[in-house]
Amino acid sequence: MGNTRGAVRIVVAVVGVVVVAAYAALLAVNALVLDPLAAVPGATLPQIHERIEAAGMSVAGDVRGVVVVASIGVVLAIAAAVVGLAARLPATVVAVMHLGVLAAGALATFQSGFWLGMDVADTFPTGGGAHTIWAGVLYLTSLAAFVAIPVALAVTAVRTRNTQRQRQLAAG
């Protein structure tokens, strides 16, 4: 039959990395493309960048900041997968590590909104803050991950307790 627990652990590790990478990609696209376009309706992204640069701010620095923050989450997800697989941690533990990275993504979403978002707000007659629904989607995803952590741990604790009771009853 094979090692189904090992296979489940691998699937959980890979899916965790993919989900975190998708979150990071949406974070970057929202902060660098969607939000600036929504903040300055009718302008193209090159026009927005040109005005920001003309005002003496660095779009390249903003892009670097967002990409670094998004990349940190992906690196943490890969590290969680590698450590989880190398240490043969249970799939639940690997999943909880990835949920933790997703939950922490709320901080990355908040931070990533400042770089280009502040330059847009300083250059154009617009307010700060999110201008698209996608920041909210990212925050809600982080909240769901945060709530899922204790749920996953509680379910695992109950299953473990029930398994131990069954073994004790079978032993005698």
Side-chain angles (χ1 to χ4, degrees):
M1 237 197 182
N3 183 355
T4 57
R5 287 187 182 183
V8 169
R9 198 170 46 246
I10 291 169
V11 168
V12 169
V14 169
V15 168
V17 171
V18 168
V19 170
V20 170
Y23 185 105
L26 179 57
L27 179 150
V29 168
N30 183 59
L32 298 175
V33 178
L34 301 176
D35 196 71
L37 288 173
V40 188
T44 66
L45 203 54
Q47 290 169 336
I48 294 169
H49 289 176
E50 186 178 302
R51 289 249 332 251
I52 290 171
E53 291 284 342
M57 293 173 247
S58 171
V59 172
D62 298 337
V63 171
R64 276 192 302 274
V66 172
V67 170
V68 166
V69 166
S71 298
I72 288 170
V74 176
V75 169
L76 289 173
I78 292 169
V82 168
V83 168
L85 293 174
R88 297 181 187 259
L89 298 175
T92 305
V93 174
V94 176
V96 166
M97 290 191 297
H98 285 105
L99 288 169
V101 174
L102 284 171
L107 300 171
T109 299
F110 181 76
Q111 176 60 47
S112 71
F114 275 95
W115 279 296
L116 191 56
M118 289 297 286
D119 289 351
V120 168
D122 289 345
T123 306
F124 294 91
T126 184
H131 298 94
T132 70
I133 192 172
W134 297 111
V137 170
L138 292 168
Y139 285 127
L140 287 175
T141 301
S142 291
L143 177 62
F146 184 73
V147 169
I149 291 170
V151 170
L153 293 174
V155 167
T156 301
V158 168
R159 283 186 183 165
T160 301
R161 185 193 68 207
N162 290 343
T163 301
Q164 288 175 341
R165 284 185 182 167
Q166 290 174 352
R167 287 182 183 162
Q168 288 173 346
L169 291 174

